[in-house]
């Protein structure tokens, strides 16, 4: 009942906290409620409900687009995982206003395809973050581009993958008409090097900053 938003600033959208399941849960909830209303946590893996193993990155990349929090025992995480948690918290603090108060756009429907995607754009259209999620991995996939929304056509946007790897500078018109290059490692020969291959429930964030 969307009328409950008048009485409560946020809602726990589901006890199902699996990162993969959350793609559909949060995508569907966004039709009636803003991102700031949706409770979203990084939970344990394997997940308690579906016993699925997903990466800490995927779980974080999904949980950002909600209230964000952790629902696990930090004492059981490795030193590497704790470092990743610190990085996730820093990312959320850095972009909280943009994520929770920006304009939200649904780009790829997880109910009808293998990819889920959405984005938030600041009121002045100077910043944006795109969440891109592939549910199942396949070999030899095609090169892909995805049309974005809500940008300033005349602005030049510097795009960073996961807020650190520079991808290039593109105009808003190019990103909305031709699209953002979302091609991943499965379009070529996948490497065994960590971070250079795609698995089930794989994600990327694209951070856009107008120059």
């Amino acid at each position: 009942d969307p009328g409950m938003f008048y009485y409560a600033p946020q809602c726990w959208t589901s006890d199902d906290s699996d990162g993969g399941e959350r793609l559909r849960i949060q995508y569907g909830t966004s039709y009636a409620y803003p991102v700031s209303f949706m409770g979203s946590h990084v939970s344990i893996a394997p997940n308690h409900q579906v016993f699925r193993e997903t990466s800490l990155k995927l779980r974080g990349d999904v949980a950002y687009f909600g209230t964000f929090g952790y629902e696990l025992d930090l004492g059981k995480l490795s030193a590497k995982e704790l470092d990743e948690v610190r990085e996730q918290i820093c990312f959320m603090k850095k972009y909280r206003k943009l994520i929770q108060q920006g304009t939200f756009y649904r780009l790829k429907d997880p109910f009808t395809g293998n990819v889920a995607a959405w984005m938030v754009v600041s009121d002045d259209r100077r910043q944006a973050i795109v969440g891109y999620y592939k549910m199942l991995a396949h070999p030899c996939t095609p090169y892909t581009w995805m049309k974005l929304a809500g940008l300033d056509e005349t602005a030049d946007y510097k795009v960073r993958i996961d807020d650190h790897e520079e991808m290039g500078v593109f105009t808003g018109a190019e990103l909305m008409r031709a699209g953002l290059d979302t091609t991943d490692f499965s379009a070529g020969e996948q490497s065994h090097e960590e971070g250079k291959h795609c698995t089930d429930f794989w994600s990327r964030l694209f951070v856009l900053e107008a120059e």
Side-chain angles (χ1 to χ4, degrees):
D1 180 359
M4 288 302 294
F5 190 31
Y6 180 84
Y7 300 98
Q10 68 174 264
C11 175
W12 185 234
T13 51
S14 174
D15 280 342
D16 184 351
S17 58
D18 170 69
E21 293 280 289
R22 277 277 162 165
L23 291 171
R24 293 187 177 92
I25 291 168
Q26 291 174 213
Y27 188 97
T29 303
S30 73
Y31 278 100
Y33 298 97
V35 170
S36 61
F37 183 80
M38 294 187 283
S40 56
H41 288 173
V42 178
S43 64
I44 195 170
N47 175 260
H48 289 311
Q49 285 83 20
V50 298
F51 300 97
R52 179 184 289 130
E53 186 80 48
T54 56
S55 69
L56 185 56
K57 173 173 169 48
L58 179 281
R59 285 173 276 153
D61 286 354
V62 176
Y64 289 139
F65 294 87
T67 58
F68 189 75
Y70 289 87
E71 192 173 338
L72 44 75
D73 185 349
L74 292 172
K76 294 182 179 180
L77 299 184
S78 67
K80 183 178 179 180
E81 288 172 324
L82 289 173
D83 286 340
E84 190 169 353
V85 166
R86 293 184 187 98
E87 291 176 4
Q88 289 179 342
I89 292 171
C90 288
F91 181 90
M92 188 60 185
K93 286 183 175 181
K94 181 178 180 180
Y95 294 111
R96 184 189 305 278
K97 183 177 180 179
L98 169 59
I99 293 171
Q100 297 188 346
Q101 298 180 20
T103 301
F104 184 79
Y105 294 90
R106 290 172 290 273
L107 303 177
K108 292 286 185 180
D109 185 349
F111 292 96
T112 59
N114 191 45
V115 170
W118 48 53
M119 67 184 292
V120 289
V121 182
S122 63
D123 289 343
D124 62 5
R125 297 187 295 176
R126 303 288 296 172
Q127 282 188 314
I129 298 177
V130 179
Y132 182 85
Y133 314 88
K134 180 185 285 188
M135 289 179 278
L136 296 180
H138 299 286
C140 302
T141 59
Y143 286 78
T144 58
W145 285 263
M146 180 175 67
K147 294 181 180 180
L148 304 187
L151 303 176
D152 181 349
E153 289 192 358
T154 64
D156 292 325
Y157 290 94
K158 180 180 289 186
V159 181
R160 298 190 303 276
I161 299 173
D162 295 326
D163 203 28
H164 55 78
E165 180 184 342
E166 292 197 7
M167 185 174 175
V169 178
F170 312 90
T171 67
E174 180 182 0
L175 292 168
M176 291 191 290
R177 295 174 188 172
L180 174 71
D181 184 358
T182 54
T183 305
D184 57 55
F185 302 109
S186 63
E189 183 177 350
Q190 295 220 51
S191 169
H192 290 284
E193 182 184 351
E194 185 177 2
K196 298 297 183 181
H197 56 263
C198 299
T199 62
D200 290 346
F201 299 98
W202 177 90
S203 64
R204 264 182 180 165
L205 297 180
F206 298 90
V207 178
L208 284 63
E209 302 269 0
E211 295 195 315

